[in-house]
Amino acid sequence: MFQYMHRDIEDNAFLDWLSLIRNGNIRALFVHGARQVGKTTTVQHFAKEHFENIYYINLMENREVNVALKQRSYSNSKEPLCELISMWSELEFIDSENSVIIFDEVQSAPEVYGNLRLFTRGLKSNVILTGNYLAYLAVDSVFIPAGDTYDVYMTGLTFKEFLKASNYSFLIEIIETNLASLLPFSYDTHEQLLKLFSVYLSYGGYPEVVSSYLNDADRRILSQILNNNIDRFCDESIAYIKDIDEKLFLRDVMCNIPKVILTREHITTKVSKVTELIKGIDKTHNKIDNKVVRSMIGWLLEAHMITQSYRCSDLNASRQLTGEGRIYLKDSGLANEILGQDTSAIGIIVEGYICTVLEDMFSENIGSKPKAISFIEEPGLEVDFFVNSIYGKTAIEVKSGSNMKNKGSIDLLKKKKIDFIIRTGTSNLGKEGNILTVPLYAFSFLKFKDRLEATFFQSERINKKSSLNRMILE
């Protein structure tokens, strides 16, 4: 049985929106992200906690909503609009500040988004939208209500949320305490967290998958759920992809991207290699070409099914990103499923996880659209990720095991081209000089906050005895 797993986004981004509307800032909350990450369930749970009257309208099932909004004008009176909401939600509509209207799957009825001001400005009730914003890229003429939405980007379950759902909340405090003091974890705690993180990495962050795992579902059922998610995404995409040929290729492109990246000599995205691989697997796909594959990759990026990092061409200007970059599947469970639990793929899957975590760290706030992340790749030199931190230019080395050494980043440090190195893998927590080692399970707990707060980056400059040794990334 599916049991609701509390999401941290309720306690920050959603509450921020609630504070705005209660202070007179009229906006609809728009929760978007990849399919099946828990948007609808989380929004409904939040609504039950904070509103008396909830009117839920599934726009994928209520296709007449679009027609009704096109055929009639509601600018002169709110009464017809209230009648429609009652009809759509199958409940008597009470228009008040304690009411909330939830429009789910808003990409299925773009007229709702285009006429959003009818609801936000014409009614006292609050409005929440959920859906995948990529649909609007395929709509030719939809009025975009600038300033009328509070956009929140939602991901799958984080490792922290996985620990809560698995009844290991006590480990969260241990991780945060040890990070603050830079004390290594005890052997037993370290081993326990490594095992839990391995499970999380194996199954990923889709709530349905995690819930099924916690209810002792076998791998075959979890595999079926993951494949169903791929099928649902591809089926929904068909409605928005105009080129009939591209519809046939979407799943093939999605499933072959990680296989291309897995071959290290092609770690930088090679569109032609994906094309070649697909043709080799299915001879009926002879019509596929680089243009189609490039278009599909762009679609998958917009849908948040995959992500990418970009090569940094100038370490002194880290935002100068070039090339098509390295592509990863955002959900590690999906990556594992596509690659068949290939043990040789763990390195690429771990890199994808860290890239996704870094994107969220560098967002302006929790719930913001993820930021682009860079890597360093030069002749004879490769560094997984490169960021600007409070301590300066920082190289991030990602390892799936305990061998943490990377000559490239050490050389950059010696030549003073970078200022700091963060290593993450299965080794325990520790800091030596300008090198910090963080276990993979603790990496997502590194904080991104106000740069004036003392951190372990600043602690050696400010006060060597300071206990406020927490990392901040900017």
Side-chain angles (χ1 to χ4, degrees):
M1 179 182 294
F2 182 85
Q3 184 175 358
Y4 180 71
M5 294 171 285
H6 186 80
R7 306 300 300 274
D8 291 339
I9 202 167
E10 286 193 56
D11 303 325
N12 39 67
F14 286 11
L15 284 181
D16 288 345
W17 167 74
L18 194 63
S19 177
L20 280 175
I21 62 173
R22 287 180 173 171
N23 283 304
N25 193 330
I26 303 174
R27 290 189 187 184
L29 174 64
F30 182 18
V31 184
H32 62 86
R35 285 195 58 84
Q36 305 300 313
V37 296
K39 299 184 294 293
T40 301
T41 305
T42 306
V43 160
Q44 289 179 320
H45 182 267
F46 180 80
K48 289 177 183 178
E49 293 287 318
H50 297 282
F51 296 97
E52 292 181 9
N53 310 306
I54 302 170
Y55 303 94
Y56 174 78
I57 302 167
N58 188 316
L59 297 174
M60 190 172 286
E61 297 175 357
N62 286 276
R63 298 287 183 174
E64 68 274 11
V65 172
N66 249 10
V67 176
L69 289 175
K70 284 181 179 179
Q71 289 180 343
R72 299 179 63 179
S73 172
Y74 304 94
S75 58
N76 297 325
S77 172
K78 74 173 187 178
E79 295 305 320
L81 199 60
C82 293
E83 291 175 6
L84 280 179
I85 295 170
S86 293
M87 180 179 67
W88 293 335
S89 64
E90 299 181 350
L91 293 170
E92 182 181 353
F93 179 62
I94 301 172
D95 185 27
S96 78
E97 294 177 352
N98 292 320
S99 297
V100 62
I101 308 164
I102 301 173
F103 288 111
D104 196 14
E105 305 286 4
V106 71
Q107 73 276 2
S108 299
E111 286 295 328
V112 170
Y113 193 69
N115 288 279
L116 186 57
R117 287 181 179 175
L118 288 176
F119 302 96
T120 58
R121 303 187 184 188
L123 301 175
K124 296 177 182 178
S125 301
N126 303 287
V127 179
I128 299 177
L129 311 173
T130 77
N132 203 322
Y133 81 98
L134 66 88
Y136 308 122
L137 301 176
V139 178
D140 293 329
S141 57
V142 173
F143 170 70
I144 306 298
D148 283 84
T149 61
Y150 184 84
D151 291 7
V152 172
Y153 169 69
M154 189 168 176
T155 67
L157 286 164
T158 64
F159 182 56
K160 182 179 181 179
E161 291 168 333
F162 174 81
L163 288 176
K164 291 179 181 178
S166 306
N167 293 322
Y168 286 104
S169 295
F170 69 93
L171 290 173
I172 295 172
E173 184 177 354
I174 293 175
I175 293 173
E176 293 173 341
T177 299
N178 283 47
L179 278 178
S181 59
L182 292 182
L183 289 174
F185 297 91
S186 70
Y187 175 82
D188 289 342
T189 300
H190 181 62
E191 291 299 312
Q192 183 181 26
L193 281 165
L194 284 177
K195 289 177 181 177
L196 287 168
F197 182 78
S198 178
V199 171
Y200 170 75
L201 201 68
S202 178
Y203 297 119
Y206 285 118
E208 185 181 4
V209 175
V210 173
S211 178
S212 298
Y213 163 76
L214 294 176
N215 283 287
D216 299 321
D218 61 34
R219 181 74 210 189
R220 180 184 57 81
I221 293 178
L222 301 180
S223 175
Q224 183 179 354
I225 295 171
L226 288 166
N227 276 286
N228 287 344
N229 285 348
I230 297 176
D231 290 337
R232 288 189 194 118
F233 167 73
C234 292
D235 289 343
E236 185 183 73
S237 296
I238 287 174
Y240 307 110
I241 301 176
K242 296 179 180 180
D243 189 322
I244 187 67
D245 290 334
E246 293 184 358
K247 298 177 185 179
L248 305 175
F249 302 141
L250 181 59
R251 184 183 178 106
D252 290 316
V253 172
M254 181 176 176
C255 292
N256 281 289
I257 284 174
K259 296 175 183 177
V260 170
I261 297 173
L262 188 57
T263 58
R264 300 299 294 186
E265 66 270 18
H266 296 291
I267 192 166
T268 300
T269 304
K270 300 292 185 183
V271 172
S272 59
K273 186 64 179 179
V274 177
T275 306
E276 177 187 332
L277 188 58
I278 293 174
K279 285 183 176 180
I281 293 173
D282 191 341
K283 300 300 182 182
T284 63
H285 285 359
N286 285 330
K287 291 195 300 180
I288 195 169
D289 56 26
N290 292 348
K291 180 180 178 181
V292 171
V293 171
R294 195 183 301 275
S295 175
M296 291 297 90
I297 289 175
W299 184 261
L300 291 167
L301 285 166
E302 292 290 353
H304 301 299
M305 296 299 287
I306 63 176
T307 189
Q308 67 179 330
S309 60
Y310 299 83
R311 187 172 70 84
C312 180
S313 60
D314 185 355
L315 299 185
N316 293 316
S318 64
R319 302 310 298 167
Q320 190 166 335
L321 310 178
T322 62
E324 292 180 306
R326 301 174 179 175
I327 288 184
Y328 307 98
L329 277 157
K330 287 183 76 77
D331 184 77
S332 60
L334 208 57
N336 270 305
E337 179 63 26
I338 290 173
L339 293 170
Q341 297 293 314
D342 186 343
T343 55
S344 65
I346 187 64
I348 295 296
I349 294 172
V350 169
E351 280 184 28
Y353 167 76
I354 294 299
C355 184
T356 301
V357 169
L358 286 172
E359 286 178 336
D360 293 336
M361 278 185 174
F362 280 88
S363 296
E364 294 176 4
N365 51 60
I366 296 177
S368 296
K369 187 176 179 180
K371 301 295 183 181
I373 302 301
S374 62
F375 64 90
I376 303 172
E377 187 176 66
E378 299 174 1
L381 173 64
E382 181 181 315
V383 175
D384 296 317
F385 299 106
F386 173 70
V387 299
N388 273 325
S389 72
I390 286 298
Y391 200 72
K393 291 171 285 188
T394 305
I396 298 177
E397 302 172 1
V398 182
K399 303 294 181 183
S400 57
S402 58
N403 182 10
M404 304 298 292
K405 293 183 179 180
N406 183 325
K407 184 177 182 298
S409 56
I410 292 293
D411 288 344
L412 290 174
L413 189 62
K414 288 179 178 178
K415 295 175 182 178
K416 297 184 179 181
K417 291 186 176 182
I418 61 173
D419 305 300
F420 205 81
I421 297 173
I422 300 174
R423 292 170 170 169
T424 185
T426 59
S427 295
N428 209 327
L429 180 65
K431 183 174 181 288
E432 183 178 350
N434 286 0
I435 302 176
L436 173 73
T437 300
V438 181
L440 283 165
Y441 58 75
F443 190 87
S444 63
F445 288 80
L446 299 173
K447 301 297 183 182
F448 161 47
K449 290 187 177 180
D450 193 318
R451 65 175 62 195
L452 294 178
E453 180 181 342
T455 70
F456 70 72
F457 283 135
Q458 295 173 310
S459 62
E460 293 180 353
R461 297 177 179 179
I462 300 174
N463 183 352
K464 290 186 178 181
K465 296 182 179 180
S466 173
S467 62
L468 298 174
N469 292 321
R470 291 186 294 173
M471 187 185 89
I472 296 177
L473 295 176
E474 67 172 352

